[in-house]
Amino acid sequence: MDILLFVVLFVGVATAGVTQVVAGTGVRLILPPLAVLVVGHEEGLRIALTLGLVMSLVMFLAERKDVLFRPFVTLGLPIAVTAPLWVFLVDFIPQPIAARLAGVVAILAVVVSARQLRTGRLVGLRPAILTGAGASALFALGGAGGPELGAYARDNRWPEREARATVNACIALAQVMVLGFMGFPTAIEPGFPVALGGLAVGLLLGAVAVRQLPKLTSVKIGRGVALALAGLAAMVLLFAGTLATT
């Protein structure tokens, strides 16, 4: 992989780490389109899902007592059952096409996140099954199905704290299931250590910034940066395809 692409990946992931600390979002939104754009669909998706899973597990440990058990099971079952099917089907899609479709998934995630969409129709058992299965497909194709799960939580008017914890638990489940059938990245894939290093640096810089520059690290600014960077990576990915060369 070209050195310039290494730099783009490192800086992008570091920025995602900063916004994650500042605004509570960024890693799972920015990494999927960015990693796929830089290193290709299969490897990029594995990197994004693995680092996203790390964040999901950290958040789960902190919020596990707030998870709503019945809604988690209702959404989680279709996620777990359909994930192997989606991974199997995505494997038949040519990599260049899959990469552009991942861009579409990322754009959808950005729009849903930015507008905090509430449809009023995702209420009841059938919508839960469809939402879980759909989110599973989005994770298998583009690594970003969390915002759609968030829309389901908003439609069902879950309390904010419980909604965040339950949606995060569902995201973690989807990431585990997809990675379990797709495979985890390895150290011999150069993109993974670069992204991991970028994430570590970004989280550290974010923690320092929040402590030392509180007036310049508002949630609104951090969220705006995360949405803008994710949207930019997704648009480039959609129209230009992956930058990786083999």
Side-chain angles (χ1 to χ4, degrees):
M1 187 167 65
D2 188 274
I3 186 64
L4 179 59
L5 295 183
F6 275 119
V7 173
V8 170
L9 181 62
F10 184 90
V11 173
V13 176
T15 303
V18 172
T19 63
Q20 185 70 44
V21 175
V22 172
T25 186
V27 172
R28 298 184 305 203
L29 193 63
I30 296 171
L31 256 64
L34 177 65
V36 173
L37 174 66
V38 173
V39 301
H41 184 262
E42 187 174 351
E43 181 184 348
L45 204 57
R46 290 200 300 265
I47 292 172
L49 287 171
T50 300
L51 297 185
L53 177 60
V54 172
M55 301 308 305
S56 298
L57 292 177
V58 170
M59 295 166 65
F60 175 76
L61 291 175
E63 303 172 338
R64 62 188 183 280
K65 294 182 179 179
D66 296 319
V67 174
L68 300 172
F69 179 74
R70 179 175 289 183
F72 169 70
V73 172
T74 304
L75 287 171
L77 278 176
I79 288 174
V81 169
T82 60
L85 173 63
W86 299 130
V87 174
F88 176 77
L89 292 176
V90 169
D91 193 46
F92 285 95
I93 302 175
Q95 288 289 297
I97 297 176
R100 291 176 186 267
L101 291 176
V104 175
V105 171
I107 291 171
L108 177 62
V110 169
V111 171
V112 174
S113 296
R115 302 192 63 180
Q116 294 290 290
L117 292 179
R118 187 195 302 268
T119 69
R121 298 179 180 180
L122 301 178
V123 180
L125 180 59
R126 181 177 296 179
I129 294 173
L130 294 175
T131 300
S136 182
L138 294 176
F139 274 108
L141 181 60
E148 289 71 23
L149 293 169
Y152 179 86
R154 287 190 293 273
D155 274 9
N156 285 270
R157 302 185 182 278
W158 296 348
E160 182 177 353
R161 187 172 177 177
E162 286 79 2
R164 183 175 62 249
T166 306
V167 168
N168 177 70
C170 291
I171 291 173
L173 175 62
Q175 291 166 331
V176 167
M177 293 301 300
V178 172
L179 282 168
F181 287 91
M182 176 181 289
F184 286 81
T186 65
I188 63 173
E189 297 175 340
F192 181 63
V194 171
L196 184 61
L199 179 59
V201 170
L203 293 175
L204 178 60
L205 290 177
V208 172
V210 168
R211 178 181 289 271
Q212 300 296 329
L213 303 168
K215 293 183 179 180
L216 299 179
T217 53
S218 69
V219 172
K220 184 176 181 180
I221 293 175
R223 179 177 171 78
V225 171
L227 289 169
L229 183 54
L232 176 62
M235 292 297 289
V236 174
L237 181 59
L238 173 61
F239 290 106
T242 180
L243 302 178
T245 57
T246 57

